[in-house]
Amino acid sequence: MAKRNIITLPDPLLRRSSAPVERVDDELRTLIDDMLETMYDAPGVGLAAVQLAIPRRLIVMDVKYRNSDEEGGEVARAPIAMVNPEILTRSEEMRVHEEGCLSIPEFYAEVERPANITVRYLDREGKQCEMACGDVLATVVQHEVDHLNGKLFIDYISRLKRDRVIKKFVKAAKGEVVA
Ligand code: NI
């Protein structure tokens, strides 16, 4: 397994739609393992392949590991990889969660999304699966699927706040001092 670089704002790749994965093979499984290692190292609870500059429809998540880590409890990893994920249903009930993104470091904002979803995907063996997701996992799956469509969590906040964040990252990329 190898850690890879995470791209950040304002990299234009983050705004592109990712292409479907055509084959679940050893090469893809290596990419999944690299994504997980990169995510755990960051640390984060989810990562989309496009964040490693690979615009393919592939996401990884682990919402349990981080929680158990923070609580000082036993740390057991529970990685989930979804190839070509497709959200089938979204509940009317919503939940609010303070989100962050490894491609927008050190910025957090509350985002409201459907509280429960079902998602269909291929697992790392290429088997078709369906999962009902609630709580934090529902939020993370929706955040990561958004990445595959070039959408970022800052798209859900006010335009004023979003413009401010983007400006900060554009300046930082140019090497300017950010106040
Ligand atoms: Ni993200």
Side-chain angles (χ1 to χ4, degrees):
M1 287 205 281
K3 217 183 83 179
R4 303 199 195 186
N5 274 341
I6 298 174
I7 60 170
T8 55
L9 274 185
D11 194 312
L13 208 47
L14 290 169
R15 289 306 192 175
R16 291 241 196 102
S17 256
S18 293
V21 171
E22 282 168 12
R23 242 192 345 264
V24 181
D25 54 12
D26 284 345
E27 200 181 322
L28 192 83
R29 282 185 280 274
T30 299
L31 175 58
I32 289 171
D33 290 340
D34 287 356
M35 284 171 67
L36 284 166
E37 184 171 342
T38 305
M39 180 191 78
Y40 284 123
D41 182 75
V45 293
L47 192 70
V50 67
Q51 294 179 273
L52 303 183
I54 299 162
R56 291 286 176 276
R57 303 189 80 83
L58 167 63
I59 60 178
V60 298
M61 293 144 293
D62 189 338
V63 296
K64 287 184 182 146
Y65 179 69
R66 186 96 185 270
N67 283 346
S68 57
D69 198 26
E70 279 169 0
E71 285 159 14
E74 195 163 306
V75 178
R77 289 185 174 183
I80 299 171
M82 296 183 178
V83 180
N84 296 337
E86 193 187 339
I87 296 173
L88 300 176
T89 65
R90 296 171 172 84
S91 66
E92 278 180 35
E93 189 199 337
M94 306 289 275
R95 77 182 295 270
V96 176
H97 191 83
E98 185 176 69
E99 298 189 22
C101 181
L102 295 174
S103 293
I104 313 171
E106 290 167 35
F107 180 76
Y108 305 90
E110 287 192 339
V111 176
E112 188 182 53
R113 301 179 188 268
N116 297 286
I117 60 165
T118 55
V119 58
R120 183 164 63 200
Y121 61 95
L122 302 177
D123 70 8
R124 60 181 293 142
E125 306 304 329
K127 199 181 94 191
Q128 186 169 290
C129 304
E130 265 183 46
M131 191 187 285
C133 309
D135 204 56
V136 183
L137 186 58
T139 292
V140 176
V141 169
Q142 291 174 84
H143 175 120
E144 301 310 330
V145 169
D146 272 354
H147 272 299
L148 306 183
N149 300 318
K151 192 162 179 160
L152 300 170
F153 84 99
I154 53 171
D155 298 345
Y156 296 91
I157 65 178
S158 77
R159 189 173 175 174
L160 188 75
K161 280 189 193 164
R162 180 169 62 251
D163 287 349
R164 202 184 296 150
V165 176
I166 293 169
K167 213 164 134 188
K168 194 183 124 185
F169 279 90
V170 168
K171 277 190 182 175
K174 284 183 189 157
E176 291 171 25
V177 178
V178 183

